[in-house]
Amino acid sequence: METSKNINFVTLLLTAIAGFCDTITFVAADRIFSAHVTGNFIVFAYQMIKGADADAWIKLLTFPVFILAVIVGGWISSRFKNNHFLLCCEGIILILAGVLAYSSAGAGAQLLTVQMYVITMMIVFAMGFQNAFGKLYVKETHGPTTMMTGNVTQFSLDLGALLSSGFADLSYLTGLKKGLVTLGGFLLGCVLGAYVGKVFGLTGVVLPGVAMVICYFTTRSGKEIN
């Protein structure tokens, strides 16, 4: 039971943080997705056909930054026994990004273009760590924490199976509960990220950074690999 509660907590926190970061960079950093970077293909293509300037090409930089982050994340994980140390590193990067945003322009103030992109790429790098964590430690969460399409699909399949059984097979309720934690956490993070991004700009990423570090210190016990 304790393990189940821990997974619920980690899943809820990680999905909320992913939704928060994805939304805050979209709102406060020229519509850039930081957690689900493939979405930047769509925004880039849209801006190009609308006659966007050279800044639109910066969105493509998220991919090599993300790839580098995943590689570094894998390297870090191979050298530390605590699975959640990678999350601690992610949190530290987010805190540094928020502090840099505040020191550069202040909370809610407009950052210079170069500063905005540097801070955004730091957030992308942090999200690369979270994606690496999800692939390396699949049993630590109920599913992917940064991309919701697969989770929505599984939730829909479980719901359909439960309805088809006439609510007789309650085993599907477990999957539905996991889906609610995952999807609910992401939605909550998106809403918070939109509000904080509008009011405080990229400085707001300090919040998920602190939450991630707290997650590390509250869940690290017993989370070691051989």
Side-chain angles (χ1 to χ4, degrees), residues 119-132:
I119 294 166
T120 300
M121 293 307 159
M122 290 176 66
I123 300 172
V124 171
F125 199 89
M127 289 296 101
F129 277 11
Q130 184 165 323
N131 277 273

Side-chain angles (χ1 to χ4, degrees), residues 121-158:
M121 293 307 159
M122 290 176 66
I123 300 172
V124 171
F125 199 89
M127 289 296 101
F129 277 11
Q130 184 165 323
N131 277 273
F133 177 87
K135 286 295 184 180
L136 291 169
Y137 310 115
V138 293
K139 294 183 179 180
E140 297 284 341
T141 61
H142 292 318
T145 60
T146 58
M147 297 173 287
M148 293 297 109
T149 304
N151 294 322
V152 173
T153 301
Q154 186 60 56
F155 181 85
S156 302
L157 289 172
D158 290 336

Side-chain angles (χ1 to χ4, degrees), residues 57-149:
W57 289 89
I58 296 293
K59 290 179 175 59
L60 298 184
L61 186 60
T62 59
F63 294 96
V65 170
F66 182 84
I67 291 171
L68 178 61
V70 174
I71 293 173
V72 173
W75 180 85
I76 291 174
S77 296
S78 68
R79 283 159 175 76
F80 289 87
K81 292 183 177 181
N82 192 310
N83 297 356
H84 288 182
F85 181 72
L86 192 57
L87 300 182
C88 184
C89 294
E90 175 185 346
I92 291 172
I93 294 173
L94 290 176
I95 292 171
L96 291 175
V99 170
L100 180 59
Y102 183 81
S103 62
S104 298
Q110 186 67 38
L111 289 164
L112 296 176
T113 301
V114 174
Q115 294 171 334
M116 179 191 71
Y117 286 132
V118 168
I119 294 166
T120 300
M121 293 307 159
M122 290 176 66
I123 300 172
V124 171
F125 199 89
M127 289 296 101
F129 277 11
Q130 184 165 323
N131 277 273
F133 177 87
K135 286 295 184 180
L136 291 169
Y137 310 115
V138 293
K139 294 183 179 180
E140 297 284 341
T141 61
H142 292 318
T145 60
T146 58
M147 297 173 287
M148 293 297 109
T149 304

Side-chain angles (χ1 to χ4, degrees), residues 197-212:
K198 180 180 179 180
V199 177
F200 300 104
L202 293 178
T203 301
V205 295
V206 165
L207 297 178
V210 170
M212 190 68 81

